[in-house]
């Protein structure tokens, strides 16, 4: 039962602490759009997305007015397009990207995710063509996001795909150099990708999902930090309890929005993703939560321990508020999208190596990190391999979203604007991993894969 205190508390969190619903994402299966004629397939894709999602944005706006809760993004995720491209091997996969862009324009959503391929155990029909088309697809569209899953705990890591993705990331940056290298900012390389992720750029609609459903991604770093400021001398145990209680309140709001969206759209309610998703706005930073715990600056010694506790407490609190928790659910650490991370990186306290350690205990991985424009594809591939190894061995989702800043060097800044923010060019190791990357093959699955 709602009471006046709960209502006023929610209003305060929205107005003063940057609380919002980060995204409502509609997942749409395109399996029934497969056709040997790529032009017919593209028409089917456009028609199905527009039919299913034509009311997504208006319904989101209606819910905002009903509950007074900001819903920042309305998005769509679709079946990995490589599966559709497999049926028309002589067609240009970029046609699918353009069809998705037309659908995004018609529906008014800010992103469509799913220009994707799943190659963790090898390449099947359609995969190679789609992957090689990614730089062009991200160049000629504005609202399309791409992802490639190159490894999993069950299968190991496809090092041929890792090598290829290093080249694709570099090419994508070069093709969009005139637009602040925006291409790779819309491209994620996964290990252990999940099928119901509502957050971009890695969202796609998995084959195990229903024909259509609605997911919700909540966000509340500012709320968590504001809660911790009230307990400056609390013990670690007490801090964990505060975070759990706060995560419960945030997730409860996501559950409310998701249930209402499902009702109005007439599609099943998928999941609530608990992830704390920061923005460049002041007061909306995961790094600042860690600093509120007692770190002078994010990235110093103790950062990984603080982040581990934060991530665990968010999950424990959030899972009690919803019976449909899924997606990635934890704490994101995208450097360019987090004001505190940006400051720490610019101060030289937060390094690529420290970020890699942090990804062992939180959601996703090396996210929105700007690297020098002269980085080699092999070094990009090696960074991807390192991050995939963390995900594979720890049975968790990890990912890499690197942006080579063409024409810029360490210490300079790349500006994206909006939610993507800005990021300092971070240094990378100069010694070459080329021989390792060029060996090819597959890193075998670890012993954890033998759980049957």
């Amino acid at each position: 039962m709602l009471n006046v205190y709960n209502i006023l508390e929610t209003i305060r969190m929205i107005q003063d602490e940057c609380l919002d619903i980060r995204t409502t994402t509609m997942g749409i299966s395109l399996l029934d759009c497969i056709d040997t004629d790529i032009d017919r397939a593209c028409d089917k894709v456009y028609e199905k997305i527009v039919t299913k999602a034509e009311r997504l944005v208006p319904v989101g706006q209606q819910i905002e007015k009903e509950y007074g809760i900001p819903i920042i993004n309305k998005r769509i995720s679709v079946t990995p397009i490589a599966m559709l491209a497999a049926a028309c091997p002589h067609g240009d996969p970029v046609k699918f990207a353009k069809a998705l862009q037309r659908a995004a324009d018609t529906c008014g959503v800010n992103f469509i995710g799913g220009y994707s391929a799943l190659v963790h155990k090898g390449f099947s029909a359609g995969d190679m063509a789609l992957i090689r088309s990614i730089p062009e697809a991200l160049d000629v569209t504005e609202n399309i996001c791409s992802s490639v899953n190159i490894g999993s705990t069950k299968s190991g890591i496809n090092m041929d795909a890792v090598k290829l993705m290093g080249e694709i990331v570099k090419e994508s940056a070069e093709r969009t150099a005139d637009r602040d290298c925006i291409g790779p900012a819309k491209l994620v390389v996964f290990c252990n990708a999940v099928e119901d992720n509502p957050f971009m750029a890695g969202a796609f609609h998995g084959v195990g999902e229903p024909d259509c459903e609605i997911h919700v991604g909540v966000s509340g770093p500012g709320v968590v930090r504001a809660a911790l400021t009230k307990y400056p001398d609390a013990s670690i145990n007490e801090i964990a309890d505060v975070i759990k209680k706060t995560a419960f309140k945030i997730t409860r709001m996501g559950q409310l929005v998701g249930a209402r969206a499902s009702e109005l759209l007439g599609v099943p309610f998928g999941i609530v993703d608990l992830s704390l998703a920061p923005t460049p706005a002041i007061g909306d930073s995961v790094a600042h939560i860690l600093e509120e715990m007692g770190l002078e600056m994010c990235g110093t010694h103790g950062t990984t321990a603080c982040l581990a506790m934060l991530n665990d407490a968010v999950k424990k609190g959030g899972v009690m508020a919803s019976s449909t928790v899924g997606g990635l659910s934890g704490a994101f650490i995208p450097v360019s999208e987090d004001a505190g991370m940006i400051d720490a990186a610019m101060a030289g306290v937060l390094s690529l190596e420290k970020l890699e350690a942090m990804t062992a205990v939180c959601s996703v991985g090396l996210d929105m990190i700007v690297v020098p424009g002269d980085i080699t594809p092999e070094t990009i591939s090696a960074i991807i391999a390192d991050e995939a190894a963390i995900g594979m061995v720890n049975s968790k989702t990890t990912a890499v979203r690197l942006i080579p800043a063409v024409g810029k060097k360490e210490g300079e800044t790349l500006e994206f604007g909006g939610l993507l923010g800005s990021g300092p060019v971070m240094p990378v190791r100069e010694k070459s991993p080329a021989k390792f990357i060029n060996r090819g093959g597959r890193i075998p699955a670890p012993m954890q894969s033998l759980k049957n």
Side-chain angles (χ1 to χ4, degrees):
M1 180 176 179
L2 293 175
N3 58 45
V4 173
Y5 174 78
N6 285 339
I7 293 170
L8 292 175
E9 181 182 42
T10 302
I11 292 172
R12 185 183 68 254
M13 289 190 295
I14 291 170
Q15 291 181 341
D16 301 333
E17 299 165 5
C18 301
L19 177 62
D20 58 54
I21 296 295
R22 184 53 45 84
T23 180
T24 52
T25 301
M26 177 176 280
I28 302 173
S29 172
L30 300 181
L31 293 177
D32 55 350
C33 299
I34 292 174
D35 198 297
T36 55
D37 184 310
I38 192 169
D39 294 317
R40 283 201 303 265
C42 288
D43 289 341
K44 292 179 182 179
V45 165
Y46 173 81
E47 291 297 331
K48 181 162 188 182
I49 293 173
V50 170
T51 299
K52 293 289 185 181
E54 61 179 348
R55 295 178 55 242
L56 178 61
V57 172
V59 163
Q61 293 168 340
Q62 178 181 337
I63 294 172
E64 288 181 285
K65 292 177 181 177
E66 283 185 12
Y67 297 139
I69 299 170
I71 302 175
I72 305 303
N73 300 298
K74 291 83 175 176
R75 297 165 169 171
I76 296 168
S77 63
V78 298
T79 303
I81 292 297
M83 296 181 181
L84 281 71
C88 35
H90 303 296
D92 180 2
V94 176
K95 288 186 176 182
F96 285 111
K98 293 178 178 178
L100 294 175
Q101 181 63 56
R102 285 196 297 125
D105 292 339
T106 300
C107 296
V109 296
N110 71 315
F111 282 123
I112 290 185
Y115 198 78
S116 307
L118 311 178
V119 296
H120 37 282
K121 207 167 184 178
F123 301 95
S124 61
D127 290 335
M128 188 64 75
L130 182 124
I131 291 173
R132 293 197 181 280
S133 74
I134 288 172
E136 181 183 355
L138 297 181
D139 180 22
V140 301
T141 62
E142 293 183 8
N143 306 96
I144 306 308
C145 291
S146 180
S147 60
V148 178
N149 192 62
I150 50 83
S152 73
T153 299
K154 282 287 189 181
S155 66
I157 301 172
N158 181 350
M159 291 301 292
D160 295 316
V162 169
K163 179 179 185 298
L164 178 59
M165 289 312 300
E167 299 167 0
I168 295 300
V169 170
K170 185 68 179 286
E171 183 184 345
S172 183
E174 291 170 346
R175 288 190 70 121
T176 56
D178 60 329
R179 283 155 284 162
D180 294 309
C181 305
I182 190 66
K186 299 183 290 180
L187 171 60
V188 179
V189 186
F190 275 119
C191 177
N192 287 323
V194 298
E195 297 190 332
D196 56 3
N197 168 24
F199 285 101
M200 299 297 170
F204 63 86
H205 188 68
V207 295
E209 301 294 307
D211 187 62
C212 185
E213 60 188 334
I214 191 76
H215 305 304
V216 173
V218 298
S219 179
V223 180
V224 174
R225 185 194 183 192
L228 293 181
T229 60
K230 300 172 185 175
Y231 302 91
D233 301 314
S235 69
I236 295 297
N237 305 67
E238 292 167 334
I239 286 176
D241 284 339
V242 170
I243 295 170
K244 283 189 289 186
K245 292 173 183 177
T246 307
F248 178 88
K249 296 172 185 176
I250 295 169
T251 308
R252 182 179 58 187
M253 187 181 73
Q255 175 75 18
L256 176 69
V257 169
R260 182 61 172 150
S262 172
E263 177 188 357
L264 293 173
L265 291 166
V267 300
F269 180 16
I271 57 94
V272 177
D273 190 313
L274 310 177
S275 300
L276 294 179
T279 72
I282 301 300
D284 199 25
S285 162
V286 169
H288 288 159
I289 298 175
L290 307 181
E291 290 165 5
E292 195 64 47
M293 291 181 185
L295 303 176
E296 184 176 354
M297 179 169 275
C298 176
T300 192
H301 303 295
T303 298
T304 306
C306 287
L307 184 59
M309 187 188 72
L310 172 64
N311 204 51
D312 180 66
V314 165
K315 291 178 189 289
K316 287 175 178 173
V319 78
M320 296 299 293
S322 173
S323 59
T324 56
V325 171
L328 299 167
S329 290
F332 289 161
I333 51 171
V335 174
S336 78
E337 298 176 12
D338 185 304
M341 297 283 178
I342 295 169
D343 291 342
M346 294 186 72
V349 177
L350 185 63
S351 66
L352 197 57
E353 288 75 18
K354 187 60 178 177
L355 283 162
E356 183 180 300
M358 293 163 67
T359 63
V361 299
C362 76
S363 285
V364 200
L366 297 171
D367 197 15
M368 288 302 291
I369 296 172
V370 183
V371 292
D374 60 358
I375 189 173
T376 65
E378 291 85 3
T379 298
I380 297 172
S381 295
I383 294 171
I384 292 170
D386 283 342
E387 192 60 26
I390 290 174
M392 176 184 70
V393 172
N394 289 287
S395 301
K396 68 184 293 291
T397 303
T398 54
V400 173
R401 188 161 46 147
L402 293 183
I403 299 96
V406 177
K408 294 183 181 293
K409 298 181 179 180
E410 177 186 340
E412 297 183 84
T413 302
L414 199 59
E415 299 282 347
F416 301 108
L419 286 176
L420 296 178
S422 63
V425 179
M426 300 182 70
V428 297
R429 296 287 179 242
E430 295 181 358
K431 298 300 183 182
S432 174
K435 184 174 180 180
F436 165 61
I437 294 302
N438 288 321
R439 286 181 182 275
R442 181 153 56 97
I443 294 178
M447 286 297 294
Q448 292 97 310
S449 68
L450 300 179
K451 291 184 177 181
N452 291 336

